[in-house]
Amino acid sequence: MKLAPRLHRLGNDIVASYLIDLPEGITLIDAGLPGHWRDLQRELELIGRPLSDIRGLVLTHGDGDHIGFAERLRTEAGVPVYIHTADAHRVRTGEKPKTAMGPAKIGPTLGFFAYGLRKNALRTPHVSVVTEVADGDVLDLPGAPVVIGLPGHSPGSIAVHVPVVDAVFVGDALTTRHVLTGRTGAQPAPFTDEPERALASLDTLAGVSASWVLPGHGAPWHGSPADIAAAVRASA
């Protein structure tokens, strides 16, 4: 789905990833679920670009609903996968701490897990080879993505700022649709390792200049990072 010139979303409000379409090539942010491979193929066909135009995939963190087709893309198309050093072990092994599920309603929760099943979430492969990045890195990829450390949801959670599309991609640093309650609007994401640390990290996000804030779950936010960061804190 096209959000703006050169900016596309794969998936939907339940699970989303993003495609940046530039003349010099394509950068992907997150890889959703394994079944989103077909969504990627359809979007590439719509914009008239081959798989070989993808130059890199940047993961906002190492959880299964963000790494879905990453290993397939790496092995079949030779696309490098980037992730923060602190989440490198997580993405290679799937090992992560158990976190409290928090508030939930049966309908939205069942809907989230049913969608995951339809998109082959139970068959998500780990990513065996990654390129590790750090806070402040500017990646040599189309759009020159900037890595912004936002630890809390996971140790290596990041935002990815791409000025050329006026967007910052935040993964699960926040959400605009709680997948377990169905509540919409800016709020903390569930399944967060360190909730207080995640909220504190939003101070960094508030200093980013962008018109789009794009989460891994929920509707795109067309507004400033400072405003959404304040809204998340107010809802916590």
Side-chain angles (χ1 to χ4, degrees):
M1 180 179 77
K2 187 174 183 178
L3 298 177
R6 301 176 291 188
L7 180 60
H8 303 256
R9 183 174 78 160
L10 309 176
N12 56 22
D13 285 2
I14 301 176
V15 179
S17 59
Y18 299 91
L19 182 154
I20 301 161
D21 173 25
L22 297 171
E24 63 268 32
I26 291 169
T27 296
L28 297 178
I29 311 295
D30 282 334
L33 299 165
H36 285 132
W37 180 259
R38 291 185 179 179
D39 298 60
L40 173 63
Q41 300 295 316
R42 284 194 296 268
E43 202 68 25
L44 290 172
E45 184 177 353
L46 284 172
I47 63 177
R49 302 290 294 261
L51 191 67
S52 59
D53 277 357
I54 300 174
R55 301 290 182 255
L57 165 62
V58 187
L59 300 175
T60 60
H61 61 294
D63 286 347
D65 54 349
H66 292 257
I67 72 170
F69 58 74
E71 181 69 354
R72 182 173 185 178
L73 187 67
R74 187 191 70 80
T75 57
E76 293 189 10
V79 174
V81 178
Y82 299 80
I83 194 163
H84 192 282
T85 297
D87 265 27
H89 180 75
R90 193 172 185 134
V91 80
R92 291 189 187 107
T93 66
E95 294 177 9
K96 56 181 287 188
K98 291 184 178 180
T99 57
M101 193 166 76
K105 293 183 178 179
I106 189 165
T109 299
L110 289 176
F112 176 55
F113 287 109
Y115 182 75
L117 289 174
R118 290 198 301 274
K119 292 293 186 178
N120 296 323
L122 296 180
R123 298 181 180 179
T124 303
H126 306 314
V127 186
S128 56
V129 178
V130 295
T131 300
E132 298 183 18
V133 302
D135 187 13
D137 285 354
V138 180
L139 306 182
D140 185 19
L141 293 172
V146 181
V147 175
I148 301 170
L150 295 178
H153 183 77
S154 70
S157 285
I158 62 170
V160 183
H161 183 208
V162 184
V164 72
V165 290
D166 201 20
V168 59
F169 306 84
V170 298
D172 285 358
L174 58 86
T175 187
T176 57
R177 182 187 186 278
H178 195 294
V179 295
L180 302 182
T181 68
R183 180 186 168 210
T184 57
Q187 58 197 296
F191 304 114
T192 292
D193 290 4
E194 301 176 85
E196 292 303 318
R197 191 180 185 195
L199 282 176
S201 290
L202 296 179
D203 290 341
T204 302
L205 181 64
V208 176
S209 177
S211 296
W212 288 97
V213 180
L214 301 173
H217 309 278
W221 173 280
H222 200 197
S224 77
D227 286 347
I228 197 171
V232 172
R233 289 193 195 92
S235 74

